[in-house]
Amino acid sequence: MSSSAWGLLALFLVLLLALAWPLGTYLAALCAGRLPRWMLQTEAAWFRLAGAGSAAPMRWTQYTYALLAFNLLGVLAVYALQRSQAWLPLNPQGLGAVTPDSAFNTAVSFVTNTNWQGYSGESTMSYLTQMLALTVQNFVSAATGIAVVFALIRGFAARSVASIGNFWLDLTRATVWLLLPLSLLLALALVGQGVIQNFSPYQTVPTVEPQSYTQPQLNAEGQAVLDAQGQPVQESLSTATQVLPMGPVASQEAIKMLGTNGGGFFNANSAHPFENPTALSNLLQMLAIFLIPAALCFAFGQAVGDRRQGWAVLAAMTVMFVAAVLVITPAEQAGNPQLSALGADQLASAQQAGGNMEGKETRFGINASSLFTVITTAASCGAVNTMHDSLTPLGGLVPLVMMQLGEVVFGGVGTGLYGMLVFAVLAVFIAGLMIGRTPEYLGKKIEAYEMKMGSIAILVTPLLVLAGTAVAVLTEAGRAGVANPGAHGFSEILYAFSSAANNNGSAFAGLSANTPFYNLSLGWVMWLGRFGVIVPVLALAGALARKQRLPVSAGTLPTHGPLFVVLLIGTVLLVGLLNYVPVLALGPVVEHFMLFPTH
């Protein structure tokens, strides 16, 4: 890696730590309900309107029912808004109703915090749909993830109680006291950098230079004119105008990043200059993606009464994150040998960044693009400032692996920490088997039921990814979306199902996924990938909450030192990644060797 790449990585980590530490203290107070009196009084008024008992403590089954019902209603609301947007206000371009299969896919996508988009936002969604359907779900889907990790933290911290909290209270606090104020601050900062925020119709503006293009010449009957060889005659035309999409972008961009959502207002996502215009806005967006996941690690340590526990989890995440950056950045800086063979200049110079710049923004270059790629796929965000499909094979392997680890390297808001804590439970169980002692984590015995729930939570996503990829490869409808046959086409399908099952949302966009087959199959994979993990995690939280906390003894495995960090990383890599080694060998690994033909 170059010195500038090291400098950017160091700057990012230092700023992240400085911001996440105080936010973690606030999140610990939010989890425990230690809020200022005026906040508690405001909440009390809201819940009086909601009815008696609406803020009462819940068992894990009640918590789960409330969460599932709320999110199911969210799917119905987002679907209905898309299907009826042609007759609703704030639609200056007169966009029509979204097709049923695309509306289903998008509704599930945004409710599950995946934000997979098989459509172009600026030509599909009205301003009202963007705000009332998609942006609202950006808030409440993120708040749902935070609520689940709060419940699991209480399970570890509690001393033999039946309740894990109240879902409605956790959802409200995460939305109103955390996500809304942070989003307001970030949105103002983004507007200051040039991100647009308006309700104007799309603007037709003159271009700096006329754009030339050709099209078949037509006769008076509208038929193509043919030459002597029977080929269509082409005529040269030019245009001196361009249509610029407008919209309330900054408000959606802020929660898109802070909530690790990722769904862009525009098809180009964070590569679009109206979403991400400057190097500073790019840095702010990267920090926003990791801010709450990192802060939750500190909150976890404070909530369980041992800050070292939070540091240990954060250390494991950071080591894996840095390792990923150290793989992708040199791979992209080295360039693509096949492009060199075509005469492309990939050498760094005063005029260019050098390396594999295909699909990247020149205003960000290799370093910021590579770092953003790791951050967004490590954090279950899915926002992109570069075309992942244009990465080198080894570069594309990194975001695939980040997702397939279970989105636990920082991960989404809430989802990353509760996923990592499930791996921590598995790690102490493995350690217990090694030393012949009943495993414990934070004073709670890890027994058969806890291991069953943890195993289900870990195995759901690999099953969905591998089964979904197999079905897509074996069916005509699945293969029809592949524009690049061979190893890369397989990687595109694998990436799509890895992204959907792990609720990331980014894509190898060479796959034409806006078809009934992919809209429906990926929609169901996103739903099961989200709630197929949440339900066993809440069951685990309920089981842990009922257990007594045991005192530390001479045989207790320390879970706050370097040895446990290594054990945790090893567990994530062995259990989380080994499921995918064969399919990775068929995709990006084969593709890498194809860059260097032997003949």
Side-chain angles (χ1 to χ4, degrees), residues 106-113 115-117 119 134 137-138 141 263:
T106 303
V108 174
S109 176
F110 277 77
V111 167
T112 58
N113 199 246
N115 300 73
W116 169 276
Q117 294 172 292
Y119 58 89
L134 308 188
Q137 286 303 318
N138 282 349
S141 66

Side-chain angles (χ1 to χ4, degrees), residues 33 56 70 87 94-95 161 171 324 327 342 374 427 443 452 502 575:
F70 175 78
W87 302 280
L95 298 173
V161 297
L171 183 77
V327 173
L342 296 174
V374 178
K452 289 176 183 177
N502 291 283
V575 178

